[in-house]
């Protein structure tokens, strides 16, 4: 098989690049410092974000694997790159909400921080051009984005992942408010893919409710890099 080689770029998104490798069924994901918000209207960079998100995602993927939840992470290669299973991404963004915030607060006219009596799962169609529009089970079925069985698996895995992550973050004095997951197909199984980082999660300090996530960039709250570093520090403590 020989030494691992990074081959051609397969995909470039707003925060990551995915490369083919010389090894069957393995890709390399490279994390960038680029940050966007509001469907790309706000652009910038967050210093060292790529390094932090690569390390934090690896850390959380290991926690989830230990809890029996298969995901695409294989190993960290260097500061910015991880080796992953070559999943075919299902074009659905899965939003998991434990507390009202962001677009849900706006849509329903609720205060951010309002507790939800149950976890809410929402779906969006993964499309940069369309700004990831919200869809429901019927759209997913009618447009063949996933089979009914795959969607059931996505929902049950999401609930399981939420139980593990909510508890884990709380041990680190962080409230997991909401976040986005992506799943993919690997050897005909639905497995967790993409990333889990302050770019994709809302994380509030358990004592002060200080925001320690991408809302600091979206809303110009300052101390963006510092907050990302603080989250990683707590996770590794
Ligand atoms: O914007 P909204 O409130 O719907 O976001 C819900 C959660 O999903 C937030 O944690 C946000 O960071 C994440 N999200 C994401 N990528 C998107 C949309 C939302 O990571 N394209």
């Amino acid at each position: 098989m020989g030494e691992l080689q990074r081959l051609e770029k397969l995909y470039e998104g707003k925060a990551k690049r995915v490369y083919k490798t010389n090894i069957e069924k393995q890709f390399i994901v490279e994390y960038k410092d680029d940050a966007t918000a509001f469907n790309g209207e706000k652009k910038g960079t967050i210093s060292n974000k790529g390094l932090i998100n690569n390390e934090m995602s690896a850390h959380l993927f290991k926690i989830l694997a230990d809890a029996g939840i298969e995901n695409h992470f294989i190993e960290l290669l260097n500061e910015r790159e991880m080796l992953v299973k070559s999943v075919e991404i299902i074009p659905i963004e899965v939003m998991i909400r434990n507390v009202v915030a962001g677009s849900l607060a706006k849509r329903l006219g609720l205060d951010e921080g309002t507790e939800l009596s149950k976890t809410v799962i929402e779906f969006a169609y993964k499309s940069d051009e369309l700004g990831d529009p919200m869809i429901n089970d019927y759209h997913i079925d009618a447009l063949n984005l996933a089979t009914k069985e795959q969607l059931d698996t996505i929902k049950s895995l999401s609930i399981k992942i939420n139980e593990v992550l909510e508890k884990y973050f709380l041990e680190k004095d962080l409230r997991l408010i909401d976040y986005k997951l992506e799943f993919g197909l690997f050897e005909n199984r639905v497995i967790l893919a993409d990333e889990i980082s302050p770019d994709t999660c809302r994380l509030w300090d358990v004592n002060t409710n200080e925001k320690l996530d991408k809302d600091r960039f979206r809303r110009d709250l300052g101390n963006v890099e510092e907050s990302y570093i603080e989250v990683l520090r707590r996770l590794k403590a």
Side-chain angles (χ1 to χ4, degrees), residues 96 119-121 153-164 179 181:
I96 300 166
T119 298
V120 170
I121 300 181
T153 306
I154 287 173
K155 287 181 191 170
S156 59
L157 283 174
S158 296
I159 295 295
K160 218 168 142 189
I161 290 165
N162 191 49
E163 280 168 13
V164 175
Y179 54 109
L181 298 175

Side-chain angles (χ1 to χ4, degrees), residues 91-109:
I92 301 172
E93 300 203 334
V94 182
M95 258 68 68
I96 300 166
R97 300 180 182 276
N98 295 310
V99 176
V100 174
S103 71
L104 181 65
K106 224 174 179 175
R107 205 181 325 136
L108 299 187

Side-chain angles (χ1 to χ4, degrees), residues 5 18 29 37 43 66 71 73 77 79 92 112 118 128 131-132 138 147 151 157 160 165 180 182 191 202 205:
Q5 286 168 28
V18 180
V29 174
K43 286 195 175 73
D66 288 348
N71 59 73
F73 177 74
L77 296 173
E79 281 190 327
I92 301 172
E112 281 208 314
K118 276 188 163 189
D128 285 345
D132 305 326
Y138 289 91
T147 65
L151 187 59
L157 283 174
K160 218 168 142 189
L165 290 184
K180 186 257 308 186
E182 292 183 26
I191 70 169
R202 284 198 173 90
D205 179 85

Side-chain angles (χ1 to χ4, degrees), residues 3-220:
E3 207 177 308
L4 175 71
Q5 286 168 28
R6 191 171 98 170
L7 302 178
E8 74 260 26
K9 188 169 73 181
L10 294 171
Y11 168 84
E12 177 153 4
K14 287 172 282 193
K16 297 187 291 299
R17 298 185 187 95
V18 180
Y19 297 89
K20 216 176 147 176
T21 72
N22 57 324
I23 299 178
E24 212 193 335
K25 295 186 180 179
Q26 296 190 358
F27 289 163
I28 289 173
V29 174
E30 180 193 5
Y31 287 74
K32 306 192 285 186
D33 287 346
D34 298 347
T36 60
F38 314 116
N39 301 323
E41 267 172 52
K42 183 180 169 84
K43 286 195 175 73
T45 56
I46 299 171
S47 306
N48 298 315
K49 177 170 84 77
L51 281 65
I52 300 164
N53 288 0
N54 186 32
E55 197 175 344
M56 180 165 156
S57 292
H59 183 84
L60 292 170
F61 282 138
K62 280 187 236 171
I63 300 283
L64 289 168
D66 288 348
I69 296 158
E70 186 181 6
N71 59 73
H72 74 158
F73 177 74
I74 300 173
E75 64 177 351
L76 273 177
L77 296 173
N78 55 54
E79 281 190 327
R80 284 188 182 273
E81 294 178 327
M82 58 168 64
L83 190 65
V84 301
K85 295 174 188 167
S86 58
V87 301
E88 184 194 330
I89 292 286
I90 297 169
I92 301 172
E93 300 203 334
V94 182
M95 258 68 68
I96 300 166
R97 300 180 182 276
N98 295 310
V99 176
V100 174
S103 71
L104 181 65
K106 224 174 179 175
R107 205 181 325 136
L108 299 187
L110 296 167
D111 288 337
E112 281 208 314
T114 306
E115 291 284 347
L116 289 161
S117 64
K118 276 188 163 189
T119 298
V120 170
I121 300 181
E122 295 172 347
F123 303 110
Y125 176 51
K126 191 173 152 63
S127 163
D128 285 345
E129 303 87 73
L130 300 173
D132 305 326
M134 206 173 161
I135 52 173
N136 66 24
D137 298 38
Y138 289 91
H139 300 102
I140 292 170
D141 192 17
L143 302 173
N144 294 316
L145 300 179
T147 65
K148 278 192 168 140
E149 197 186 9
Q150 287 166 351
L151 187 59
D152 282 345
T153 306
I154 287 173
K155 287 181 191 170
S156 59
L157 283 174
S158 296
I159 295 295
K160 218 168 142 189
I161 290 165
N162 191 49
E163 280 168 13
V164 175
L165 290 184
E166 202 181 18
K167 181 165 172 280
Y168 182 74
F169 277 113
L170 209 51
E171 284 167 15
K172 309 293 180 179
D173 284 343
L174 291 165
R175 295 176 72 198
L176 179 57
I177 303 298
D178 60 27
Y179 54 109
K180 186 257 308 186
L181 298 175
E182 292 183 26
F183 294 86
L185 294 174
F186 183 72
E187 296 172 343
N188 290 321
R189 299 188 302 281
V190 174
I191 70 169
L192 177 65
D194 195 49
E195 67 176 285
I196 309 174
S197 71
D199 270 10
T200 61
C201 302
R202 284 198 173 90
L203 297 163
W204 296 359
D205 179 85
V206 77
N207 295 310
T208 64
N209 281 329
E210 187 188 5
K211 297 179 197 327
L212 296 168
D213 55 58
K214 197 171 161 189
D215 274 345
R216 300 206 73 84
F217 169 78
R218 293 187 189 103
R219 303 177 189 188
D220 295 319

